[in-house]
Amino acid sequence: MKVFKFGGASLKNAQAIRNMSTIVLDYAEGPLVVVVSAMDKTTNALERVVHAFVKGENYQAEISRIIGYHQAVINELFENPQEILGTLEGLASQLTEKLQSPSEEDKLYDQVVCFGEILSSFIVHHYLTTIGLKNIWKDARELIRTDSTFREGKVEWALSESRIISLKKDLQTHVIITQGFIGGDAEGNSTTLGREGSDYSAAIFASCLQADSVTIWKDVPGVMNADPKRLQAAVVFEELPYKEAAEMTYYGASVIHPKTIKPLALKGIPLLVKSFTNPSLPGTKIHDCKVDHLPPMIVFKDNQCLISCKVTDFTFVNEDQLRAIFDALSELNVKLNVMQNSAISFSFCIDFRENKVMALIEKLQERFEVYYNTNLTLVTIKNYDEQSFETYRKKPGVILEQSSRSTLQVLVKE
Ligand code: ASP
Ligand code: MG
């Protein structure tokens, strides 16, 4: 049993969907579960709809653009698109209905944003059927049960497992097409698992079904030791231990969603990262293995913010003050990317999400003088060697540096 995951880039137009279908057909003898994300940047567009709705602005234009884009893909993919276009219209009205009643913002977000995956999976399902692949569309919101933490649903494993296992019978005869990123809570609301969470969904399905492997099909030839758009000399790993891959995602490598590795590692299910443009390339296998002499891995994390809390009363930073800072962070659910303290100040680097950062600063100002810088890039060099260590420490614009025996981190203002 295999689980495949196709992301937005691999579904971005009719041509891409044909390409993904060719890959799926190659494995059609199954059993196979195919998890799809929303097409291209649809999730961002749906976020704009929610944003406009909440602000009382016009959101209809954005919905029309989203539907128009899906319509165009359908028109290009199907010889007789009428019936599929009819279903799309139905889904479009369901989406608009979600915006009729006022609701708490994060909850509304999940009810609306989940449509990206619903739309893409329904198109993929119909297209695969048209080309003769026996497949069934399944609603992930009825399979993956989460709590009601909207935008960051926590998976309720036991219930999800019992539902997902029930797919086994259909899997003997059909490929299952389902959605990444989305789940449902006990009240019947849609939930989402956090941005880019489709990889995690694939891992949930694989874990519950005891799959032989998960394959994430990407626009890169595999997991690389740096983003090739930023570092031309980046190389592809043939294999990686789970732990190394998990740490890379922790530091911000966007190749795999951070929550993906754990459920797979716990069951020893290998994770393959392969190129959808060149499926014959071997890609990267993440599994239980030992690799000697890994090259340095360089991870860039943009849009960082450095906050410094300075004590104001000539005392030094003490544990009580640190606790106040950590309480504020935990209350606002903010994750620290780097921290450093000195005699009279404590500095830390976090992702810049404007509303959160402003709320945090306001809270910290009750006790500290607070300074902050935005537009920073955090560069992490894991398994550094002498050369990479020197190169990144001396990078122009470094405003904070920290190193351990294996990892160097520099925060850079570019
Ligand atoms: N479509 C969702 C997003 O863009 C989930 C995913 O792509 O993994 O965040
Ligand atoms: Mg995506």
Side-chain angles (χ1 to χ4, degrees):
M1 222 278 307
K2 293 187 197 313
V3 177
F4 282 0
K5 180 258 169 172
F6 290 93
S10 63
L11 304 163
K12 68 177 178 200
N13 52 34
Q15 173 62 30
I17 294 177
R18 283 193 200 102
N19 178 62
M20 78 79 83
S21 305
T22 314
I23 296 174
V24 172
L25 276 184
D26 272 347
Y27 295 86
E29 75 278 16
L32 176 64
V33 176
V34 176
V35 173
V36 298
S37 302
M39 285 161 57
D40 202 21
K41 305 272 185 265
T42 302
T43 306
N44 293 354
L46 287 164
E47 281 190 344
R48 287 197 291 276
V49 170
V50 177
H51 196 72
F53 175 81
V54 169
K55 287 188 128 180
E57 293 166 0
N58 174 7
Y59 57 89
Q60 277 300 345
E62 191 68 63
I63 294 193
S64 303
R65 260 196 298 277
I66 296 169
I67 299 303
Y69 161 57
H70 287 81
Q71 254 163 2
V73 172
I74 291 170
N75 277 320
E76 205 185 324
L77 271 179
F78 298 92
E79 253 173 60
N80 297 310
Q82 291 323 323
E83 197 187 320
I84 320 259
L85 288 172
T87 316
L88 177 71
E89 226 168 85
L91 289 171
S93 11
Q94 279 179 31
L95 166 60
T96 315
E97 258 167 48
K98 300 290 175 199
L99 296 155
Q100 301 311 309
S101 47
S103 129
E104 185 255 316
E105 184 173 347
D106 285 351
K107 180 173 174 186
L108 178 74
Y109 175 101
D110 283 0
Q111 311 320 302
V112 169
V113 164
C114 67
F115 273 87
E117 274 66 15
I118 298 295
L119 293 173
S120 64
S121 61
F122 124 84
I123 294 177
V124 165
H125 157 62
H126 283 289
Y127 183 65
L128 290 171
T129 306
T130 309
I131 61 170
L133 182 89
K134 276 172 82 182
N135 73 102
I136 306 181
W137 183 90
K138 289 281 179 185
D139 191 333
R141 295 172 298 183
E142 286 162 15
L143 296 169
I144 296 182
R145 168 63 69 84
T146 71
D147 68 1
S148 302
T149 315
F150 296 107
R151 298 186 70 155
E152 199 65 57
K154 308 275 167 304
V155 174
E156 290 176 10
W157 280 91
L159 193 55
S160 303
E161 185 167 345
S162 68
R163 290 174 169 188
I164 290 171
I165 281 180
S166 70
L167 299 174
K168 278 194 172 163
K169 194 160 168 281
D170 285 333
L171 272 167
Q172 288 170 5
T173 49
H174 289 75
V175 171
I176 303 271
I177 308 296
T178 189
Q179 308 80 33
F181 179 55
I182 66 176
D185 73 2
E187 273 78 59
N189 300 301
S190 303
T191 56
T192 61
L193 308 177
R195 284 302 308 265
E196 306 301 330
S198 296
D199 297 347
Y200 181 41
S201 300
I204 297 168
F205 281 104
S207 164
C208 295
L209 290 165
Q210 298 277 2
D212 300 317
S213 65
V214 173
T215 307
I216 297 182
W217 297 92
K218 301 226 33 138
D219 54 359
V220 285
V223 179
M224 306 180 79
N225 73 325
D227 179 348
K229 290 186 199 107
R230 295 183 102 136
L231 250 171
Q232 277 192 344
V235 293
V236 180
F237 294 108
E238 252 170 69
E239 54 173 1
L240 270 179
Y242 290 118
K243 190 174 146 289
E244 290 289 336
E247 283 183 44
M248 275 178 89
T249 67
Y250 172 85
Y251 291 124
S254 58
V255 61
I256 311 160
H257 188 274
K259 288 185 182 160
T260 312
I261 307 286
K262 185 177 164 189
L264 300 179
L266 287 177
K267 297 222 168 148
I269 300 169
L271 174 62
L272 311 168
V273 178
K274 281 175 70 81
S275 157
F276 62 73
T277 51
N278 207 341
S280 59
L281 291 178
T284 302
K285 182 174 184 178
I286 298 164
H287 62 144
D288 214 347
C289 63
K290 224 178 150 261
V291 183
D292 293 327
H293 308 300
L294 281 169
M297 296 183 194
I298 299 154
V299 182
F300 295 86
K301 202 168 164 64
D302 289 325
N303 202 18
Q304 296 295 294
C305 169
L306 178 68
I307 299 184
S308 298
C309 303
K310 219 169 148 189
V311 286
T312 49
D313 56 359
F314 295 98
T315 57
F316 299 124
V317 178
N318 62 30
E319 286 65 26
D320 181 44
Q321 283 154 331
L322 287 175
R323 185 193 310 131
I325 296 171
F326 279 99
D327 279 347
L329 287 165
S330 142
E331 214 172 283
L332 288 161
N333 197 11
V334 175
K335 179 177 157 284
L336 288 184
N337 297 328
V338 178
M339 57 184 153
Q340 204 166 65
N341 65 329
S342 71
I344 55 162
S345 85
F346 179 79
S347 301
F348 55 89
C349 163
I350 58 178
D351 295 348
F352 184 68
R353 279 176 66 183
E354 192 168 358
N355 292 347
K356 280 232 163 159
V357 168
M358 291 309 147
L360 177 65
I361 289 175
E362 201 174 302
K363 231 181 161 24
L364 295 170
Q365 275 169 337
E366 291 166 14
R367 284 189 73 160
F368 306 94
E369 235 172 71
V370 181
Y371 300 87
Y372 72 102
N373 292 67
T374 56
N375 267 323
L376 306 174
T377 299
L378 177 65
V379 190
T380 303
I381 303 97
K382 197 171 172 308
N383 312 326
Y384 60 75
D385 54 16
E386 218 177 293
Q387 193 198 344
S388 53
F389 191 81
E390 285 311 309
T391 309
Y392 283 94
R393 274 189 62 206
K394 292 191 181 135
K395 218 172 146 51
V398 171
I399 59 171
L400 185 146
E401 173 194 327
Q402 199 168 79
S403 65
S404 70
R405 263 171 286 189
S406 66
T407 306
L408 167 70
Q409 292 190 289
V410 290
L411 193 59
V412 188
K413 190 164 186 69
E414 289 189 286

